[in-house]
Amino acid sequence: MTDPADPDAVEAFWRRARAACGLATTSAPEAWAFGSGAAQADALLALVLNGTKTATAGALWDYEAEGEAVPRPGDLSIALDGAGRPRALLRVTAVEVLPFDEVDEEHARLEGEGDRSLAYWREVHQRFFTDVACHDRGFSRQMPVVVERFEVLHTEP
């Protein structure tokens, strides 16, 4: 599990990012970490910070179980590292909900993980969607997956 975000650190990061990007929005967006656990959060964030990872995916059933809204283009969020420190301001550029089996090679490549192949993406995400599920529906190759693309607006070390 990743460390929780320090609200003061998130707010300070948000003030700096907002000023650097010229954003008018005043309230800080959601802060969250990729994956499950500190090591995975750090590894995936490193891919974001080096420009390899420009997409992510989540099980729609998890969004529903947690009462979270599905991201929309234009949404902002703050990506945390495994220690809960804010590191990047992201903006969603595209969102689609697809059955697991319809996620394509391009999306797998944009997620930037492993060898960036669809086979790798399916193997890793089937395991993730099974082991880290917040719902009780199990895994299905037809389960709805929220695939999103994002851009990095601001980073800090």
Side-chain angles (χ1 to χ4, degrees):
M1 176 168 241
T2 57
D3 288 339
D6 172 354
D8 293 334
V10 169
E11 188 59 40
F13 173 90
W14 171 239
R15 281 193 308 274
R16 293 187 302 272
R18 199 177 95 209
C21 297
L23 299 172
T25 307
T26 56
S27 55
E30 176 186 9
W32 57 280
F34 287 96
S36 174
Q40 191 174 49
D42 285 341
L44 295 175
L45 180 61
L47 294 173
V48 170
L49 296 175
N50 74 21
T52 302
K53 183 175 183 63
T54 59
T56 194
L60 178 63
W61 295 339
D62 286 339
Y63 282 93
E64 293 170 348
E66 300 224 321
E68 291 184 29
V70 171
R72 296 176 312 202
D75 284 354
L76 299 174
S77 64
I78 296 171
L80 305 171
D81 65 16
R85 292 183 301 254
R87 298 287 310 282
L89 177 64
L90 309 177
R91 178 172 36 213
V92 176
T93 59
V95 177
E96 195 171 2
V97 179
L98 303 169
F100 181 90
D101 273 353
E102 291 183 25
V103 174
D104 62 18
E105 289 182 30
E106 179 183 13
H107 182 80
R109 183 182 58 75
L110 294 174
E111 282 217 31
E113 300 169 33
D115 66 4
R116 301 177 77 178
S117 70
L118 182 57
Y120 180 88
W121 185 92
R122 285 185 174 161
E123 176 188 333
V124 168
H125 283 79
Q126 179 174 343
R127 187 169 49 246
F128 184 84
F129 293 155
T130 301
D131 295 346
V132 188
C134 299
H135 60 83
D136 59 1
R137 297 182 190 183
F139 174 81
S140 164
R141 296 190 78 73
Q142 294 304 309
M143 69 186 294
V145 176
V146 179
V147 295
E148 77 181 85
R149 294 184 185 179
F150 57 83
E151 62 183 342
V152 176
L153 298 180
H154 178 78
T155 64
E156 292 184 2

